[in-house]
Amino acid sequence: MKTVSLGAARPSSVKFRMPTRDNLVPIRVDVEVDGQRYRDAFTWNPCDPDSEIISFAKRTAKDLKLPANFVPQMLHSIQGQLAEFRSYEGEEMQIREKIVPLKIDLRINNTVIRDQFLWDIGNLDSDPEEFARTLCDDLNITDPEVGPAIAVSIREQLYEIASQSVSAMREAARVSKKGRRAPEFASNSKAMNNSLDLFKYFGSKGSVVRKRKEWYLYEPVVDVVTNEEVGVTDATEEINSREGEH
């Protein structure tokens, strides 16, 4: 059984970036124009010029035969998310050797996958895309869209942790300038808070070893749903989405 070292946390301050090998931003687009809807999730290199975004939006609209007025909406969505990411660049964030639980709960076309696993956010050489490919191979998932969706989901959770760290560092600096003792790093991130719980449960030394009776909690679940079930689910999600907009 694999064990993951949980040595005492040694926080180190580094410039903001995704805590992964490749500094790729998770992007999620959900645009509706004149009753037509475009939804997608992918990663983007924040160093790419904005002209690439324009080319991507135009090419996507052409390939999917979407009206031209989709392009400015897509541009606005992508550029807004990249601007938020870039607003953290240059800021200090704290990387602790923490093991955090990540969860996957996705339906991609006819494939439903649910899983949870532990991730070392202190490992800046980690690769969500490689992990997703390996997971799909192990589970015999052949739909080529599932792997990228898993990787995006992982990156979204890691991005939340990283951005929360920057916010905490900003607050610590603000409080410190006022002459008060800066608070210790804390995060509103659900994943980060869960990581704190892991340390409380297992202690600051030793390894995380899943108890045999808990193995089922970490076992991935994959279901293949019929086209009829997909249609019902899509319709329900559409109704819920529209209700949430009002």
Side-chain angles (χ1 to χ4, degrees), residues 204-235:
S204 60
K205 296 181 179 179
S207 301
V208 173
V209 181
R210 299 173 188 168
K211 297 179 181 179
R212 184 177 297 274
K213 66 180 181 180
E214 294 174 348
W215 283 0
Y216 75 95
L217 294 174
Y218 293 89
E219 183 179 355
V221 176
V222 178
D223 291 322
V224 177
V225 296
T226 65
N227 291 333
E228 290 76 12
E229 290 172 318
V230 169
V232 171
T233 302
D234 284 343

Side-chain angles (χ1 to χ4, degrees), residues 4 8 19 38 42 50 64 68-69 75 85-86 98 129-130 177 185 190 199 207 212 214 229 246:
V4 184
Y38 166 69
F42 46 87
D50 286 351
L64 299 179
N69 52 358
L75 284 174
F85 182 89
R86 289 166 178 162
K98 282 186 177 293
E129 285 72 26
E130 181 180 357
K177 286 180 180 179
F185 171 74
K190 185 179 298 184
F199 270 89
S207 301
R212 184 177 297 274
E214 294 174 348
E229 290 172 318
H246 298 295

Side-chain angles (χ1 to χ4, degrees), residues 99-245:
I99 308 299
V100 297
L102 301 183
K103 292 188 177 183
I104 302 296
D105 188 353
L106 300 170
R107 180 183 63 80
I108 309 300
N109 300 324
N110 294 70
T111 302
V112 176
I113 178 169
R114 299 182 183 89
D115 195 9
Q116 57 181 328
F117 41 84
L118 303 179
W119 194 277
D120 180 2
I121 64 171
N123 179 10
L124 299 182
D125 289 325
S126 63
D127 189 339
E129 285 72 26
E130 181 180 357
F131 173 87
R133 286 192 294 270
T134 301
L135 181 63
C136 287
D137 288 343
D138 290 345
L139 299 177
N140 295 317
I141 297 175
T142 57
D143 187 334
E145 296 183 25
V146 176
I150 292 173
V152 168
S153 179
I154 292 172
R155 286 190 175 277
E156 286 177 327
Q157 294 173 72
L158 296 178
Y159 178 26
E160 180 191 6
I161 293 171
S163 60
Q164 289 284 351
S165 174
V166 170
S167 298
M169 293 287 283
R170 286 174 177 172
E171 178 63 16
R174 184 187 68 81
V175 172
S176 180
K177 286 180 180 179
K178 290 185 176 182
R180 299 198 300 267
R181 181 176 181 272
E184 293 186 3
F185 171 74
S187 172
N188 292 326
S189 163
K190 185 179 298 184
M192 183 64 77
N193 287 335
N194 285 342
S195 115
L196 297 176
D197 291 339
L198 280 176
F199 270 89
K200 180 178 179 181
Y201 185 80
F202 292 104
S204 60
K205 296 181 179 179
S207 301
V208 173
V209 181
R210 299 173 188 168
K211 297 179 181 179
R212 184 177 297 274
K213 66 180 181 180
E214 294 174 348
W215 283 0
Y216 75 95
L217 294 174
Y218 293 89
E219 183 179 355
V221 176
V222 178
D223 291 322
V224 177
V225 296
T226 65
N227 291 333
E228 290 76 12
E229 290 172 318
V230 169
V232 171
T233 302
D234 284 343
T236 302
E237 291 177 352
E238 184 73 16
I239 292 173
N240 293 338
S241 175
R242 293 183 182 278
E243 289 177 348
E245 294 172 357

Side-chain angles (χ1 to χ4, degrees), residues 76-87:
H76 178 75
S77 178
I78 297 171
Q79 289 173 334
Q81 293 174 70
L82 287 174
E84 180 181 359
F85 182 89
R86 289 166 178 162
S87 71

Side-chain angles (χ1 to χ4, degrees), residues 13-106:
S13 180
V14 298
K15 296 297 184 182
F16 172 81
R17 54 160 294 156
M18 286 291 296
T20 56
R21 185 180 65 187
D22 298 318
N23 191 36
L24 300 176
V25 186
I27 301 292
R28 193 168 292 276
V29 179
D30 188 347
V31 175
E32 183 173 356
V33 178
D34 298 332
Q36 285 185 277
R37 192 170 191 176
Y38 166 69
R39 289 186 288 185
D40 199 4
F42 46 87
T43 58
W44 197 272
N45 188 336
C47 296
D48 285 348
D50 286 351
S51 59
E52 291 291 329
I53 306 174
I54 298 173
S55 299
F56 171 80
K58 289 181 176 179
R59 185 172 62 252
T60 300
K62 180 179 179 181
D63 292 345
L64 299 179
K65 296 181 172 55
L66 298 171
N69 52 358
F70 262 85
V71 174
Q73 299 280 1
M74 294 168 61
L75 284 174
H76 178 75
S77 178
I78 297 171
Q79 289 173 334
Q81 293 174 70
L82 287 174
E84 180 181 359
F85 182 89
R86 289 166 178 162
S87 71
Y88 295 115
E89 292 181 331
E91 298 274 358
E92 297 289 330
M93 74 174 188
Q94 223 171 49
I95 291 292
R96 295 171 182 258
E97 292 179 336
K98 282 186 177 293
I99 308 299
V100 297
L102 301 183
K103 292 188 177 183
I104 302 296
D105 188 353
L106 300 170

